[in-house]
Amino acid sequence: MLHSVKTRLFAAALCGAMLLTTACGGSAAGGTGSAAASGAGDASAASSGTAETGETGGPKYGGTLTTYTSADPKSFDPAALSAWDQTIVAANILEGLVRLNPEGNAIEPGIAESWEPSEDGTVWTFHLRDAKFHNGRAVTAQDFKYSFERVANPQTASPAAWMLNKLQGFDEYTAGSASEISGIKVVDDHTLELTLTEPYAPFVSMLSSAALAVVPQEAVEEFGDDFGQHVVAAGPFTVGQWNFNQDLTINAFEDYWAGRPYLDSVKFKVINDENTRIVEFDAGTLDIAWITPAHYDRLTSDPRYANSIGRADTLHTSFLMFNMEKEPFASNKALREAVLYALDTQATIDMLQGRASVANVLLPSGMLGSGDPATTPPYDVEKAKAKMAEAGYPDGLPQTFEVITPAWNNNIKILEIYQQNLKEIGINIEIKALENSAYNEARDSGQFEIAWGNIVATYPDPDAMFYPLLHSDNIGAAGNYARYSNPEVDALIEQARASTDDNERASLYQQIEQLVLEDLPYAYLTHNIYVDICQPFVRDYCPSALDVSTYHRVWLDK
């Protein structure tokens, strides 16, 4: 196929990015069946007879799957997406040129059925299939031009605008000296040509982001500021009943290009407390739940769920971040090092029953440039105390520091371990658990000295972690929460983005890792291993390496 060139460019970044060791709702062997793995039309792939069939003899239509989100998503406007609670739902409503596969470790055709680059890798031509918006109108190449320029427009203030900054004419458009992005060309209704300023390795992978989904201009203009609550898009589900801060239902889109989903609907309950989700799962009022440590042994040993436990090594890294613009940590590297050496990350991994791995670097194992997985954290209390003395605080810091975190029970328990670790070397912290929106605001605006943070790749490429978290262009809400700036790191990130040589990119990412470890704006903690549970009747669902589950191939065997 034409898009096979994409495979050559990105295969090394995707291959082995995670291991889906068991999938929910699969066969006795724990597989998801071909319905979840195929890049072809969803319904037709599953109904080919090779998918997990259960007692009924094959996948079937109907029913409502009930799952959860930890907070109300508030908006599904692609240009406004910034939080996990938005993207986990939005990925089922929105769609762009390409989309993530259900496992979250590769891309597959979306509204673009094929694409090819020019010989020099700077011009990408996308061929659109016949697809419809939720309002019934056909999707055209002009709609993509409108959607991309809307995201890039400074007046929109989209946190995803940077994803388009390699398009020719982006700078002129955002500066106001051009009325359009010259690198976006509508050849005809079914052909879109995107011209880049230079070869850009993660480009096609990046287009899978829900933030770059297509929307119709007439709907944006009709709903204005309320478009996010009435979003019209081209994904497999449409927005249904929405009881704010309680629940949200999305309904199967009958005219989805790949055939309507098997499910009639998916209901997302707003449940912030992890243990409450398990209570609801046990009661049968929730069909999928993340397994909390308190219930892990019970649920994973229950024979009823032998084939219903899902695991994924996610493209996720958690860390403590230092505000590099606030003292006393900003200018005192030894103090930051003291914090790093004081943290007993293995104790938190043990608390999580092994559902995390040591993160001594940013990239999770298996990603391009990640190297061998770490087995031993840098925990060393004596070294931490020596660093405190080197920092000028042999007797400890006199003040107490607030460490902000989302109000997730598990996070609080993890931070309580670190709280004791830091107290041992003379650093006193107070855990400040905030509601998600308050946490995001404080994190994005730099209202902290130390904060818990994490990054989950938004597309399956190392650039999805390096560029937002470490490049100085993204200080603040765009992802560089530590407000870190190193011109050498910026230059290496740019070089890695422009290279289409996987070996060169891997080497560049390893150089960046070393420079950042030397500067230490982030104290890396763990890479997440996601473990969830499904009711036994849920079929062809699997957890996503990007923490963004999709439901267009899921069906209920009941």
Side-chain angles (χ1 to χ4, degrees), residues 197-250:
T197 55
E198 60 185 345
Y200 186 29
F203 181 60
V204 176
S205 183
M206 186 181 292
L207 293 174
S208 65
S209 171
L212 300 182
V214 66
V215 294
Q217 182 174 356
E218 68 272 19
V220 174
E221 293 175 350
E222 176 185 356
F223 293 108
D225 292 342
D226 295 329
F227 177 67
Q229 289 80 48
H230 303 276
V231 70
V232 177
F237 292 89
T238 65
V239 176
Q241 184 172 348
W242 193 341
N243 301 308
F244 289 99
N245 295 315
Q246 296 180 46
D247 57 64
L248 163 72
T249 299
I250 59 175

Side-chain angles (χ1 to χ4, degrees), residues 13-232:
L14 305 178
C15 180
M18 75 295 334
L19 172 66
L20 294 173
T21 56
T22 309
C24 287
S27 64
T32 61
S34 64
S38 173
D42 303 338
S44 60
S47 61
S48 64
T50 57
E52 174 58 41
T53 59
E55 298 176 358
T56 62
K60 59 183 180 181
Y61 293 93
T64 297
L65 178 82
T66 304
T67 182
Y68 68 91
T69 180
S70 62
D72 192 283
K74 302 187 186 306
S75 172
F76 297 120
D77 183 346
L81 297 179
S82 63
W84 176 79
D85 297 293
Q86 294 174 311
T87 56
I88 60 169
V89 184
N92 296 279
I93 299 169
L94 309 174
E95 189 159 312
L97 293 168
V98 298
R99 63 183 185 181
L100 289 170
N101 68 353
E103 294 83 3
N105 62 351
I107 60 171
E108 59 187 23
I111 294 174
E113 60 185 355
S114 62
W115 55 89
E116 73 274 358
S118 60
E119 189 172 341
D120 67 357
T122 62
V123 180
W124 289 82
T125 304
F126 294 86
H127 305 279
L128 311 188
R129 65 177 85 246
D130 290 330
K132 290 183 178 180
F133 285 117
H134 298 155
N135 63 7
R137 180 170 73 73
V139 178
T140 69
Q142 178 61 40
D143 294 310
F144 277 98
K145 178 177 174 62
Y146 166 76
S147 300
F148 289 171
E149 290 179 343
R150 178 172 178 261
V151 168
N153 192 326
Q155 292 183 359
T156 307
S158 172
W162 65 269
M163 290 186 175
L164 300 169
N165 66 9
K166 292 296 184 182
L167 286 171
Q168 190 177 87
F170 175 89
D171 290 341
E172 294 81 356
Y173 178 73
T174 56
S177 59
S179 61
E180 63 178 353
I181 298 177
S182 60
I184 306 176
K185 180 181 179 182
V186 176
V187 179
D188 57 43
D189 281 353
H190 286 83
T191 311
L192 181 71
E193 187 178 277
L194 301 178
T195 300
L196 309 178
T197 55
E198 60 185 345
Y200 186 29
F203 181 60
V204 176
S205 183
M206 186 181 292
L207 293 174
S208 65
S209 171
L212 300 182
V214 66
V215 294
Q217 182 174 356
E218 68 272 19
V220 174
E221 293 175 350
E222 176 185 356
F223 293 108
D225 292 342
D226 295 329
F227 177 67
Q229 289 80 48
H230 303 276
V231 70
V232 177

Side-chain angles (χ1 to χ4, degrees), residues 253-313:
F253 179 37
E254 296 288 342
D255 291 328
Y256 183 53
W257 65 261
R260 63 150 283 178
Y262 290 110
L263 297 167
D264 287 336
S265 58
V266 181
K267 183 176 183 177
F268 294 85
K269 290 187 173 183
V270 178
I271 309 174
N272 186 53
D273 182 75
E274 297 103 328
N275 289 306
T276 301
R277 298 172 200 157
I278 294 297
V279 170
E280 291 221 15
F281 181 86
D282 285 338
T285 55
L286 204 62
D287 296 329
I288 299 173
W290 178 75
I291 304 178
T292 64
H295 298 274
Y296 182 79
D297 290 339
R298 173 177 68 86
L299 291 172
T300 56
S301 63
D302 190 325
R304 293 176 298 172
Y305 305 121
N307 298 317
S308 299
I309 306 295
R311 304 174 191 269
D313 286 311

